[in-house]
């Protein structure tokens, strides 16, 4: 349908416009003119770039639009074409003198489409309010103007004066409360069998078919509607925005020492039942009628709808009604006490119905905003929200987004008022695990509020197990879809054949329950999930699992940035130990593991910088990790950074507890590692190790020797053998020439430096206040500039003549 419009060329469009212009100048505008205008609108709307039309044709469109003899369909199409061309320099339209409400609506829509031009928006707003102020002639209706007014306040709320907003507030109060409860009259078709003596319309009904006995609302049902009923619906649709823009302006709230909150509540009850409510200021009266309207909607939502569409409308209106009540209570606290009891009853009624889950969010928002003033304990409401909804409805994408957005918007408030928010983080992460790409930015904002000293370790494990959680949620969802009658009994003695069978198998049941827990369980349990990770390996290639795995590195980096702000020494030590342990216990997705290793290695350096003493305090764990050859092959990034950290921070400059014996222990372990990976083997069995790991091992051994100079001869002898290593045919067959040259250069530089032990000690073991200077900084395995300077001093280039 769009292709013909996109493919039309400028020359062809110009000819077509000429034809349309001729039709518009004809004495009568018939079906052909309508068809051509529709085709022209499609041609303009189908392209991404604006098309320019002749100025005279634009002027003609405006003339036709404002012509009283023009058919309504043609006017609508002319306005649509002018909006599509916006912003338009040839516009001469003005709404100042227009009396017809339909035409005023069309012209205003064109003017508002010109961009956010304050003067034009203000002019439209002034005109709309002026028309609404007076009594409209017979046949005219304000229903065409309310959508325009809604657009005006969205673009420029300040364009209306307080007197004008009072006028509209007064009208809206009447539209909301006093619409007819009789159905509208059907328009006669004008056919041969049309009967002028039609039956009188009956009363409107409720969604369950019962005759309405209270005032009309958007949930009232009829076959046809009157003009004031349409205004009622439109007024409700713009009520929230209107209250937010104008409901609080000029509001006079009674001072706290006048009367207690309960007194104000009692006064409000009296005012709403009093016949003198029309004497209230317009804004106060609008709030009063809006509150009654919302109460009526909530009562109507309890009825069983006969049609599905009416049921969906009930839920949408319920959400809007609670939101508006919250706004009203913010603007006038005297409504809080009435609303609290009303909404508690509502919560009790809908909490068990998953179809109303979205409505629980504005209810929780209300209690977050007002429970303190009303002196009510809302923890039961928050607990149900955070416990049941994520666990049951994590797979609902729209609810997931709204729920996480709600948490993000109120994260500060939750952390100050309720511990349930932080305790429920395992449940919240189910939304992310199932809906990773759409929710990652929200969780980047949310994660800092979930982290503290009590949750950091558990969240660290959870982030690393996030793809595993996605797989477990998939199994859970599929398991619930299997009818109870078809579920086979589990034999504890028989190993389950599929993940679905394992979900209820006694061997795996506790593991699934722990991974799918709804609240924080502060226990260190990385090992207990190893069998489950292996079991769920069959789902590692699932697109949803892979997408989730791609979000983990981003959140891990954020995790460490936030933890660095409050972590003390014991917590940092605990994280480093877990970092080394968990590097062996990751879900088997190769790209995921590589990304996690990259992040963990860089964050390990940051943790060591924050707490250098960890090298001494965790010597057993670090020696075990750095003394394992397989770690060089499988976890080269982490291994290299661990070895670098040993060389950088195993020094009395950083920890007075560092002894010569400790330096020797580390030296011997790393020496054995370097020997293992550089010893010459038969050609066919020579493994290839990362050149960076070899360079860092050499540099770290040199640093340790500089701090315990009895070790210098051993290092020097080892480094002198590196030339033999790099020239061996077995080695040259598995390493490229550039890598071997870099290894040899590094070995030579280090040997030269060790020839001057005092210089080596200064370069490799500077005082702490010097260690942070630019001269001393190393990036990964690069030696400082000083090392190359020493090499040049000891090995002057050819042709160099000393002075």
């Amino acid at each position: 349908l769009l292709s013909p419009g996109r493919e039309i060329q400028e020359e062809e469009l110009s000819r077509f416009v000429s034809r349309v212009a001729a039709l518009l100048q004809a004495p009568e505008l018939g079906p052909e003119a309508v068809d051509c205008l529709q085709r022209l609108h499609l041609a303009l709307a189908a392209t991404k770039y604006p098309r320019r039309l002749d100025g005279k044709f634009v002027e003609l469109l405006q003339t036709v639009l404002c012509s009283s003899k023009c058919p309504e369909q043609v006017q609508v199409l002319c306005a649509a074409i002018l909006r599509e061309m916006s912003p338009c320099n040839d516009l001469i339209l003005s709404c100042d003198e227009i009396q017809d409400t339909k035409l005023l609506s069309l012209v205003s829509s064109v003017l508002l489409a010109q961009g956010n031009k304050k003067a034009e928006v203000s002019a439209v707003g002034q005109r709309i309010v002026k028309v609404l102020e007076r009594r409209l002639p017979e046949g005219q209706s304000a229903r065409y103007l309310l959508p325009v007014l809604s657009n005006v306040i969205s673009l420029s709320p300040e364009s209306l004066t307080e007197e004008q907003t009072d006028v509209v507030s007064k009208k809206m109060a009447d539209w909301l409360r006093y619409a007819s409860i009789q159905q509208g009259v059907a328009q006669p078709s004008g056919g041969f069998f049309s009967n002028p003596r039609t039956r009188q319309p009956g009363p409107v009904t409720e969604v369950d078919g019962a005759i309405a006995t209270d005032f009309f609302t958007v949930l009232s049902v009829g076959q046809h509607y009157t003009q004031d009923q349409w205004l009622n619906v439109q007024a409700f649709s713009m009520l929230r925005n209107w209250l937010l823009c104008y409901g609080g302006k000029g509001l006079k709230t009674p001072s706290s020492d006048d009367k207690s909150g309960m007194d104000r509540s009692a006064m409000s009850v009296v005012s709403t039942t009093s016949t003198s409510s029309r004497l209230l200021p317009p804004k106060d009266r609008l709030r009063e009628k809006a509150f009654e309207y919302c109460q009526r909607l909530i009562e109507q939502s309890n009825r069983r709808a006969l049609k599905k569409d009416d049921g969906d409308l009930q839920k949408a209106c319920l959400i809007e009604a609670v939101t508006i009540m919250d706004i009203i209570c913010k603007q006038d606290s005297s409504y809080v006490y009435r609303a609290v009891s009303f909404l508690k009853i509502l919560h009790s009624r809908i909490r068990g119905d998953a179809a109303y889950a979205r409505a629980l969010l504005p209810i929780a928002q209300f209690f977050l905003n007002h429970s303190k003033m009303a002196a009510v304990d809302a923890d039961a409401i928050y607990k149900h929200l955070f416990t049941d909804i994520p666990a049951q409805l994590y797979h609902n994408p729209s609810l997931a987004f709204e729920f996480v957005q709600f948490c993000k918007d109120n994260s500060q408030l939750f952390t100050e008022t309720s511990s349930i928010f932080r305790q429920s983080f395992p449940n919240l992460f189910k939304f992310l695990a199932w809906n990773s790409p759409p929710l990652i930015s929200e969780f980047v904002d949310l994660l800092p509020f979930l982290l503290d000293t009590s949750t950091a370790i558990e969240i660290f494990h959870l982030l690393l197990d996030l793809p595993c959680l996605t797989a477990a949620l998939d199994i859970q969802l599929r398991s619930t879809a299997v009818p109870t009658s078809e579920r086979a009994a589990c034999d504890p003695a028989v190993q389950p054949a599929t993940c679905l069978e394992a979900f209820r198998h006694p061997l795996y049941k506790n593991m699934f329950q722990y991974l799918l827990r709804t609240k924080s369980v502060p226990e260190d349990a990385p090992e207990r999930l190893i069998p489950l990770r292996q079991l769920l390996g069959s789902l590692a290639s699932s697109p949803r699992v892979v997408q989730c795995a791609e979000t983990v590195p981003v959140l891990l980096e954020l995790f460490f940035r936030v933890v660095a702000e409050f972590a003390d020494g014991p917590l940092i030590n605990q994280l480093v130990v877990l970092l080394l342990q968990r590097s062996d216990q990751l879900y088997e997705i190769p790209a995921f593991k590589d990304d996690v290793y990259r992040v963990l290695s860089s964050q390990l350096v940051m943790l060591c910088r924050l707490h250098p003493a960890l090298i001494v305090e965790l010597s057993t764990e670090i020696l075990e990790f750095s003394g394992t050859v397989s770690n060089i092959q499988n976890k080269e990034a982490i291994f290299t950074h661990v070895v670098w950290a040993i060389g950088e921070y195993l020094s009395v400059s950083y920890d007075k507890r560092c002894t010569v014996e400790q330096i020797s222990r580390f030296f011997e372990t790393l020496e054995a590692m370097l020997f293992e990976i550089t010893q010459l083997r038969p050609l066919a069995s020579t493994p290839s190790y990362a050149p960076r790991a070899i360079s860092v091992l050499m540099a770290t051994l040199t640093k340790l020797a500089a701090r315990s100079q009895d070790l210098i001869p051993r290092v020097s002898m080892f480094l002198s053998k590196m030339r033999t290593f790099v020239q061996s045919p077995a080695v040259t067959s598995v390493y490229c020439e550039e890598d071997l040259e870099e290894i040899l250069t590094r070995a030579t530089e280090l040997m030269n430096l060790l020839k001057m032990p005092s210089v080596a000690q200064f370069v490799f073991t500077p005082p702490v206040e010097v260690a942070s200077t630019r001269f001393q900084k190393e990036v990964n395995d690069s030696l400082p500039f000083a090392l190359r300077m020493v090499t040049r001093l000891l090995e002057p280039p050819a042709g160099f003549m000393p002075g």
Side-chain angles (χ1 to χ4, degrees):
L1 181 63
L2 296 177
S3 294
R6 287 176 180 159
E7 293 168 1
I8 188 170
Q9 300 301 312
E10 291 298 326
E11 186 178 345
E12 185 181 354
L13 179 64
S14 180
R15 290 197 300 270
F16 184 66
V17 166
S18 299
R19 178 185 168 195
V20 175
L23 290 170
L24 292 179
Q25 294 173 35
E28 292 187 4
L29 301 177
E32 187 180 2
V34 172
D35 179 63
C36 288
L37 285 171
Q38 288 175 331
R39 290 167 60 192
L40 177 58
H41 179 254
L42 178 63
L44 295 173
T47 55
K48 295 180 181 178
Y49 56 91
R51 292 186 184 267
R52 309 310 304 172
L53 298 181
D54 180 68
K56 291 184 178 179
F57 180 71
V58 172
E59 187 176 338
L60 178 61
L61 286 174
Q62 295 175 76
T63 303
V64 173
L65 170 61
C66 296
S67 171
S68 58
K69 298 179 181 179
C70 178
E72 183 181 342
Q73 191 176 7
V74 173
Q75 286 181 314
V76 170
L77 286 167
C78 288
I81 292 170
L82 289 169
R83 285 197 303 271
E84 201 61 48
M85 293 174 58
S86 302
C88 182
N89 297 327
D90 302 314
L91 208 64
I92 56 173
L93 285 175
S94 171
C95 60
D96 291 343
E97 304 300 326
I98 300 176
Q99 302 297 325
D100 183 84
T101 54
K102 285 186 181 179
L103 180 58
L104 179 56
S105 172
L106 290 173
V107 172
S108 297
S109 70
V110 176
L111 293 173
L112 294 179
Q114 301 309 304
N116 196 3
K117 297 179 180 178
K118 301 291 183 182
E120 291 182 359
V121 174
S122 179
V124 171
Q126 303 291 324
R127 183 60 185 164
I128 295 292
V129 175
K130 190 173 182 179
V131 173
L132 289 175
E133 273 185 292
R134 59 183 173 80
R135 187 178 183 86
L136 294 175
E138 189 71 27
Q140 299 288 308
S141 172
R143 62 179 286 203
Y144 303 106
L145 302 181
L146 288 192
V148 180
L149 183 60
S150 180
N151 200 3
V152 167
I153 64 175
S154 296
L155 292 171
S156 179
E158 66 277 8
S159 61
L160 300 183
T161 66
E162 187 167 354
E163 291 74 16
Q164 291 171 326
T165 60
D166 283 346
V167 168
V168 179
S169 293
K170 186 177 179 182
K171 292 275 187 184
M172 288 181 69
D174 290 338
W175 292 331
L176 287 171
R177 187 62 179 82
Y178 300 112
S180 169
I181 58 171
Q182 295 295 314
Q183 295 188 42
V185 179
Q187 295 296 320
S189 61
F192 180 78
F193 295 102
S194 61
N195 182 5
R197 298 180 62 186
T198 55
R199 289 188 306 171
Q200 287 295 317
V204 294
T205 64
E206 304 287 2
V207 291
D208 59 358
I211 293 175
T213 57
D214 209 336
F215 61 90
F216 181 91
T217 73
V218 67
L219 286 178
S220 300
V221 180
Q223 287 186 320
H224 306 282
Y225 298 99
T226 62
Q227 291 297 319
D228 63 344
Q229 289 168 349
W230 283 116
L231 286 168
N232 177 284
V233 173
Q234 288 179 319
F236 177 67
S237 72
M238 64 182 286
L239 179 58
R240 187 208 299 202
N241 203 16
W242 184 268
L243 289 173
L244 287 172
C245 288
Y246 307 115
K249 289 186 178 180
L251 179 63
K252 295 179 181 177
T253 54
S255 58
S256 57
D257 56 359
D258 270 350
K259 292 179 173 65
S260 69
M262 289 300 290
D263 290 338
R264 291 198 300 271
S265 178
M267 288 176 65
S268 181
V269 173
V270 172
S271 69
T272 54
T273 56
S274 170
T275 55
S276 62
S277 65
R278 287 184 178 274
L279 302 178
L280 288 170
K283 290 172 187 173
D284 291 346
R285 184 166 176 270
L286 176 59
R287 275 195 296 271
E288 175 193 303
K289 299 306 177 187
F291 193 87
E292 292 176 5
Y293 194 99
C294 292
Q295 283 184 307
R296 167 114 167 91
L297 284 177
I298 292 171
E299 290 165 353
Q300 285 179 296
S301 70
N302 196 26
R303 295 177 177 271
R304 186 179 297 276
L306 299 178
K307 297 179 180 178
K308 181 183 181 301
D309 288 348
D310 288 341
D312 294 339
L313 183 61
Q314 274 181 310
K315 298 177 182 68
C317 288
L318 183 61
I319 293 169
E320 187 71 4
V322 176
T323 304
I324 291 172
M325 289 176 83
D326 185 25
I327 295 169
I328 291 171
C329 290
K330 284 181 184 177
Q331 294 175 355
D332 187 346
S333 57
S334 64
Y335 287 92
V336 169
Y337 298 95
R338 294 159 56 197
V340 161
S341 57
F342 201 77
L343 293 182
K344 274 202 162 186
I345 295 170
L346 171 64
H347 182 267
S348 300
R349 173 165 64 84
I350 68 173
R351 58 173 292 170
D353 189 346
Y356 282 93
R358 288 180 62 229
L360 297 173
L361 295 175
I363 293 175
Q365 183 71 66
F366 176 89
F367 282 98
L368 265 177
N369 294 336
H370 306 291
S371 61
K372 186 175 181 180
M373 179 187 174
V376 295
D377 183 6
D379 273 1
I381 291 172
Y382 307 146
K383 186 175 181 180
H384 170 262
L385 182 71
F386 285 113
T387 302
D388 293 2
I389 303 306
Q392 297 170 7
L393 299 171
Y394 60 86
H395 49 81
N396 184 325
S398 60
L399 175 65
F401 177 78
E402 289 182 28
F403 198 108
V404 174
Q405 191 69 40
F406 165 79
C407 293
K408 174 185 161 185
D409 293 342
N410 295 284
S411 49
Q412 186 67 50
L413 203 54
F414 268 125
T415 51
E416 293 171 358
T417 58
S418 177
S419 61
I420 295 170
F421 175 61
R422 274 192 175 140
Q423 291 173 358
S424 303
F425 71 81
N427 237 9
L428 295 178
F429 272 96
K430 291 175 185 176
F431 285 129
L432 177 64
W434 195 259
N435 308 277
S436 296
L439 294 183
I440 180 64
S441 62
E442 276 67 32
F443 267 86
V444 165
D445 294 329
L446 190 59
L447 183 60
F449 292 96
L450 298 173
L451 279 166
D452 63 8
T453 52
S454 65
T455 62
I457 296 300
E458 196 175 351
I459 288 180
F460 177 65
H461 284 306
L462 186 54
L463 288 175
L464 293 178
D465 285 326
L466 207 58
C468 198
L469 176 60
T470 306
L473 290 170
D474 187 16
I475 298 299
Q476 182 187 39
L477 194 61
R478 283 193 277 156
S479 176
T480 55
V482 178
T484 309
S485 58
E486 296 180 17
R487 295 174 187 171
C490 293
D491 185 351
V494 179
Q495 191 75 7
T498 64
C499 293
L500 206 56
E501 291 178 14
F503 187 72
R504 289 186 174 80
H505 196 280
L507 185 62
Y508 293 97
K509 189 174 183 180
N510 288 338
M511 300 179 202
F512 272 109
Q513 286 177 345
Y514 176 74
L515 191 58
L516 297 170
R517 64 197 182 279
T518 59
K519 63 180 181 179
S520 173
V521 182
E523 61 177 87
D524 188 10
E527 292 85 5
R528 69 184 291 187
L529 292 181
I530 291 175
L532 187 59
R533 293 188 199 102
Q534 295 170 346
L535 174 77
L536 296 174
S538 59
L539 294 173
S541 59
S542 161
R544 192 181 295 277
V545 174
V546 172
Q547 281 185 327
C548 176
E550 290 170 353
T551 67
V552 172
V554 176
L555 293 173
L556 266 181
E557 289 181 345
L558 175 62
F559 168 86
F560 282 105
R561 278 203 307 274
V562 175
V563 168
E565 296 174 4
F566 61 78
D568 55 9
L571 179 57
I572 291 175
N573 286 353
Q574 199 174 358
L575 281 171
V576 170
V577 171
L578 291 175
L579 185 154
L580 299 179
Q581 289 177 353
R582 285 305 308 265
S583 63
D584 277 329
Q585 301 166 18
L586 296 175
Y587 197 43
E588 282 298 329
I589 304 176
F592 165 69
K593 293 176 74 172
D594 290 343
D595 287 339
V596 170
Y597 290 159
R598 173 183 54 79
V599 174
L600 293 183
S601 61
S602 64
Q603 299 307 316
L604 175 68
V605 173
M606 182 272 295
L607 294 174
C608 291
R609 189 177 297 118
L610 286 174
H611 185 53
L614 70 85
I615 302 296
V616 172
E617 294 169 355
L618 303 177
S619 58
T620 303
E621 292 84 355
I622 293 174
L623 279 168
E624 182 182 352
F625 183 87
S626 58
T628 305
V629 176
S630 61
N631 288 338
I632 307 180
Q633 286 280 38
N634 303 330
K635 294 172 278 191
E636 185 271 331
I638 298 178
F639 178 86
T640 301
H641 284 77
V642 168
V643 173
W644 179 89
I646 293 169
E648 187 71 10
Y649 298 111
L650 186 63
S651 166
V652 72
S653 300
Y654 290 102
D655 192 339
K656 300 298 182 185
R657 296 170 295 177
C658 178
T659 63
V660 173
E661 290 75 16
Q662 284 178 321
I663 292 176
S664 297
R665 284 174 60 207
F666 277 95
F667 182 90
E668 288 168 2
T669 300
L670 298 182
E671 183 185 38
M673 289 293 293
L674 185 57
F675 175 79
E676 175 68 25
I677 65 176
T678 59
Q679 65 174 317
L680 298 177
R681 297 179 175 86
L683 190 64
S685 62
T686 302
S688 173
Y689 295 97
R692 182 174 70 159
I694 296 174
S695 294
V696 173
L697 278 166
M698 291 190 302
T700 297
L701 287 171
T702 305
K703 291 178 182 181
L704 297 180
R707 294 164 199 163
S708 179
Q709 297 191 3
D710 292 343
L711 302 172
I712 289 178
R714 291 168 64 176
V715 180
S716 298
M717 184 179 68
F718 207 113
L719 294 174
S720 66
K721 294 179 180 179
M722 293 307 296
R723 184 176 296 277
T724 306
F725 170 74
V726 299
Q727 292 176 347
S728 166
V731 174
T732 55
S733 64
V734 293
Y735 290 95
C736 70
E737 184 178 347
E738 291 80 6
D739 290 339
L740 293 175
E741 184 178 346
E742 179 62 29
I743 292 171
L744 183 58
T745 301
R746 183 57 45 84
T748 304
E749 291 173 342
L750 294 169
M751 270 197 307
N752 287 335
L753 197 57
L754 288 175
K755 291 174 183 177
M756 296 184 291
S758 58
V759 176
Q761 188 170 16
F762 173 76
V763 170
F764 289 130
T765 316
V768 174
E769 63 270 13
V770 178
S772 60
T773 63
R774 183 179 178 185
F775 184 72
Q776 290 293 341
K777 286 184 179 177
E778 287 187 5
V779 180
N780 293 335
D781 60 333
S782 298
L783 290 173
F785 182 63
L787 192 150
R788 291 179 174 82
M789 286 176 58
V790 172
T791 300
R792 290 196 181 104
L793 287 172
L794 293 173
E795 296 184 4
F800 176 79
M801 295 294 292

